[in-house]
Amino acid sequence: MSNQIPRPEYPRPQMVRSEWLNLNGWWDFEVDQGDSGLERGLVEAPLTRSILVPFAPESQASGIGETDFLQAVWYRREIAVPEHWAGQRVLLHFGAVDHDTTVWVGGTEVVRHRGGFSPFTADITDTLTDGRGTITVRARDLREEVQARGKQATWYSNTHCQYTRTTGIWQTVWAEPVPPVHLKRPRITPDVGGECFRIEAPVSANRAGYRLRATLSANGIEITTAQVRADLDLAPALQLTIPAESVRLWSPTDPHLYDLHIELLDETDQVMDAVESYAGLRSVSIDGQHLLLNGKPVFQRLVLDQGYWPQTLMTAPSDEALVRDIELGIAAGFNGARIHQKVAEERYLYHAARLGYLLWGEFGDWGVSGQGTRGHNQQPTASFTTQWLEVLERDYNQPAIIGWCPLNETHQVIHDRITVLDDITRGMFLATKAADTTRPVIDASGYSHRVAETDVYDSHSYEQDPTAFAAEQAGLAHGHPQRNKPADGEFSLPYAGQPFFVSEYGGIWWNAELAAAHASGEQRDASWGYGQRVATEEEFHQRFTGLTAVLLNNPHMFGYCYTQLTDTFQEQNGIYHFDRTQKLNTTRIRTAQQQPAAYEQQ
């Protein structure tokens, strides 16, 4: 076994402390297929196997590689914090664990969390003895339990566009020391019109004489600083006004980031806590059908990114792999992505910000319908909303995120009785608007637009014929966009003139090896894609160019999202192979997208 720690980089770039302890690496492990481990004493009893955290046990990289349904799994490792952490509180952080997680330290339960996509934290100070303790984690992922799964397969095998499941820890585990009174995650709101940032920095408690100080800089040069009392409010706030000569807007063509240093000072000016962060000055606004970035129309050439890797599943194998996916998208002519049906790692969002890659924040709930677990991925529950609120809190500050999409492809017929899905749809929309007033929100991408005041209206279309696709999209000019409908009714409330885009299209099915096999008469159907597969790469490019031109030439549409960046397991419709190697002539794909968008020419 290697002693090298996987994913060694700091996992939370928007709130960096200088002291931390990476707990990735080899942990004791056991599969608890009967979910009886609690009764059998696994909180303290020895575990029989080992796993490489943060990779899920279904992945090859974990050292386990078991892809059957895993009802529950257990983890254990020792923690020893540095001696100089004495006198501080020790926080234990989990980036993401799927799905129902309980954590014990020294046999004492310290936290329980439901949800496979959002982070959680426990203060473990009082469970440590001389800075040492034993961490035990149980993650339950019951096959029949209602939960948000995203694209994780609900049948035994991968099928269509459902992929290998993820159970247990799949993002970095780490610890850090904080003073008894410390900073919590700040909220950074850019104000382009006011040429400033508004900073709200919650504190764990108030102390007489404490103050909050924030300093903005760029390229190592201080631009401005401000401070405010921190003894009267649990969320002290201040404003950093940027001198005119230092104003620089963040955009895909100039992804400028300011450095932000936030300090908590005591009554003697001693720094009690400090974090490093970053911020981008940009705005998102709506003017009729126009969705504007910094007051200007910027056509969104997005690509659907499933965020899976062959050996590591939903966890990126390395920080470089996160960067690589963005670079591959840009190389193919895209200026952003939908990280589809999962919540991206925080470091991906950081790299998107510094590289100027537009993102729509999404949640992993594909297939939610309220009609039962068999044949559907999941059902709506209260945990959808609680997880989503945790995601919004985590990602509010990210400049690359320009919109939110809490739900995807819901199936609620408009004439049917009101169900819990209606409540969840409206609840998640309202929660998003309450948590973030600065970004537009799509109530549900594609099918069921159930909230009349949704900021953005969209549709999904996998029509493969460019001529038929053009006819399908022509109605937008007359206020009647293409809408996803069931055969016997209507999914959505009427379109009300909102900004509109086709947020999924293409999905062109192409696999050169399988095409050759079919051409020779051999039947090999180990792949899946949308519509009739193309016979040659040339046919792929002609279809891609034709479909994309329809959307680029529509002046009433602010963007599109092509399915998809890479092949993913059996879904063979990527621009690149699953291992990120070259599959198609990306120069031709980029050239097809370089035609000026009619939306930007108005």
Side-chain angles (χ1 to χ4, degrees):
M1 293 184 182
S2 170
N3 291 322
Q4 184 175 357
I5 294 177
R7 300 303 305 272
E9 61 282 346
Y10 192 84
R12 191 184 60 193
Q14 273 249 312
M15 189 183 177
V16 178
R17 287 191 172 97
S18 57
E19 287 280 346
W20 72 296
L21 180 64
N22 193 324
L23 297 176
N24 292 343
W26 290 102
W27 291 50
D28 295 337
F29 178 78
E30 188 161 315
V31 174
D32 179 13
Q33 198 58 34
D35 189 25
S36 59
L38 193 62
E39 300 166 74
R40 293 187 288 114
L42 289 187
V43 172
E44 295 181 332
L47 306 181
T48 59
R49 304 172 72 178
S50 296
I51 189 170
L52 188 61
V53 170
F55 304 118
E58 290 89 347
S59 72
Q60 292 299 315
S62 71
I64 302 296
E66 294 186 9
T67 59
D68 201 348
F69 291 93
L70 304 178
Q71 297 288 88
V73 293
W74 290 76
Y75 298 78
R76 181 174 295 117
R77 68 156 291 164
E78 302 297 317
I79 182 173
V81 303
E83 292 183 2
H84 64 271
W85 287 15
Q88 301 187 82
R89 309 300 297 179
V90 178
L91 303 182
L92 176 64
H93 301 286
F94 292 84
V97 185
D98 196 335
H99 163 262
D100 179 344
T101 308
T102 308
V103 181
W104 297 264
V105 177
T108 300
E109 182 180 327
V110 293
V111 67
R112 184 162 183 178
H113 181 265
R114 286 177 61 82
F117 297 103
S118 54
F120 59 97
T121 297
D123 185 330
I124 64 171
T125 314
D126 298 333
T127 62
L128 300 176
T129 301
D130 296 326
R132 307 181 73 89
T134 302
I135 302 170
T136 302
V137 178
R138 179 190 65 175
R140 302 168 78 238
D141 199 12
L142 305 181
R143 180 175 184 178
E144 297 297 335
E145 183 170 331
V146 173
Q147 60 177 273
R149 292 183 172 90
K151 287 296 191 79
Q152 299 180 57
T154 51
W155 293 276
Y156 170 74
S157 299
N158 291 8
T159 55
H160 302 94
C161 53
Q162 295 187 65
Y163 316 132
T164 304
R165 290 169 292 279
T166 290
T167 299
I169 298 169
W170 67 277
Q171 288 187 30
T172 291
V173 184
W174 52 291
E176 67 175 346
V178 296
V181 178
H182 54 271
L183 296 165
K184 295 186 176 181
R185 189 184 290 267
R187 287 174 66 90
I188 305 165
T189 304
D191 183 348
V192 171
E195 298 183 340
C196 66
F197 289 103
R198 297 191 301 274
I199 313 297
E200 183 181 291
V203 292
S204 62
N206 300 115
R207 291 289 185 273
Y210 273 37
R211 289 174 293 113
L212 176 72
R213 181 168 66 195
T215 303
L216 197 72
S217 61
N219 301 317
I221 301 173
E222 181 178 316
I223 294 172
T224 186
T225 188
Q227 60 181 297
V228 68
R229 291 178 64 174
D231 56 353
L232 299 176
D233 195 325
L234 282 174
L238 52 77
Q239 180 172 299
L240 290 171
T241 301
I242 307 170
E245 66 274 12
S246 298
V247 171
R248 188 171 166 186
L249 302 185
W250 183 95
S251 71
T253 56
D254 184 16
H256 176 71
L257 296 176
Y258 294 92
D259 296 317
L260 181 61
H261 182 63
I262 302 175
E263 299 170 304
L264 184 63
L265 310 174
D266 70 6
E267 68 279 3
T268 67
D269 274 351
Q270 180 179 348
V271 177
M272 304 305 296
D273 193 14
V275 297
E276 304 290 338
S277 190
Y278 61 89
L281 187 63
R282 63 102 185 92
S283 69
V284 184
S285 58
I286 292 174
D287 183 359
Q289 281 188 313
H290 291 84
L291 185 64
L292 306 175
L293 183 68
N294 300 327
K296 299 178 180 179
V298 175
F299 193 79
Q300 297 180 25
R301 296 167 170 86
L302 309 180
V303 66
L304 206 71
D305 189 343
Q306 306 285 0
Y308 278 73
W309 286 264
Q311 300 299 315
T312 59
L313 306 181
M314 286 202 298
T315 311
S318 65
D319 197 49
E320 292 74 20
L322 295 172
V323 178
R324 180 64 173 155
D325 268 17
I326 298 170
E327 292 176 338
L328 289 174
I330 293 172
F334 300 100
N335 63 3
R338 284 180 68 191
I339 296 301
H340 194 45
Q341 287 309 286
K342 61 175 283 192
V343 176
E345 299 177 41
E346 288 191 70
R347 290 199 63 85
Y348 177 90
L349 305 179
Y350 162 66
H351 293 307
R354 68 179 185 82
L355 294 171
Y357 204 55
L358 304 173
L359 300 176
W360 281 81
E362 194 164 325
F363 186 55
D365 49 40
W366 176 69
V368 61
S369 66
Q371 299 178 29
T373 57
R374 306 311 298 162
H376 299 278
N377 279 359
Q378 47 235 326
Q379 294 181 62
T381 69
S383 71
F384 276 48
T385 304
T386 56
Q387 285 185 75
W388 182 237
L389 284 168
E390 290 172 337
V391 172
L392 293 171
E393 179 186 9
R394 194 197 78 169
D395 295 342
Y396 174 88
N397 299 334
Q398 299 291 349
I401 295 177
I402 57 170
W404 298 112
C405 178
L407 292 165
N408 180 72
E409 291 191 354
T410 53
H411 297 71
Q412 182 60 55
V413 178
I414 195 169
H415 298 303
D416 197 3
R417 62 184 176 85
I418 294 175
T419 69
V420 66
L421 180 55
D422 292 273
D423 295 333
I424 289 293
T425 302
R426 185 159 188 82
M428 293 181 76
F429 177 83
L430 292 175
T432 310
K433 297 300 289 186
D436 184 0
T437 60
T438 70
R439 293 179 176 91
V441 181
I442 304 173
D443 58 343
S445 183
Y447 300 179
S448 301
H449 290 294
R450 304 288 293 166
V451 178
E453 62 269 35
T454 183
D455 295 317
V456 171
Y457 211 95
D458 70 345
S459 69
H460 298 171
S461 175
Y462 288 105
E463 171 60 56
Q464 297 295 303
D465 175 47
T467 301
F469 189 52
E472 179 184 76
Q473 300 302 324
L476 181 59
H478 309 289
H480 302 289
Q482 176 246 335
R483 294 192 290 173
N484 301 113
K485 299 180 181 181
D488 58 350
E490 175 68 68
F491 281 139
S492 298
L493 297 175
Y495 174 64
Q498 299 99 327
F500 180 92
F501 75 134
V502 178
S503 55
E504 290 185 29
Y505 83 103
I508 303 171
W509 188 359
W510 168 243
N511 179 304
E513 180 184 353
L514 291 174
H518 277 271
S520 64
E522 181 182 354
Q523 295 301 312
R524 294 170 60 187
D525 292 315
S527 73
W528 182 88
Y530 290 95
Q532 178 64 41
R533 75 179 81 196
V534 293
T536 65
E537 182 176 343
E538 178 61 30
E539 186 180 342
F540 177 99
H541 287 293
Q542 291 178 4
R543 188 181 295 183
F544 177 87
T545 300
L547 294 172
T548 302
V550 168
L551 305 177
L552 286 168
N553 289 330
N554 193 321
H556 306 286
M557 196 173 296
F558 70 83
Y560 55 66
C561 184
Y562 180 79
T563 303
Q564 59 188 349
L565 182 66
T566 72
D567 293 342
T568 308
F569 296 103
Q570 71 284 347
E571 189 172 357
Q572 303 286 314
N573 51 19
I575 299 296
Y576 299 94
H577 290 298
F578 195 14
D579 63 3
R580 275 60 173 177
T581 56
Q582 204 76 14
K583 175 182 176 182
L584 297 159
N585 185 333
T586 52
T587 299
R588 292 188 65 178
I589 293 170
R590 183 174 63 252
T591 300
Q593 299 189 79
Q594 288 177 336
Q595 170 190 336
Y599 172 76
E600 294 178 321
Q601 308 306 310
Q602 300 175 76

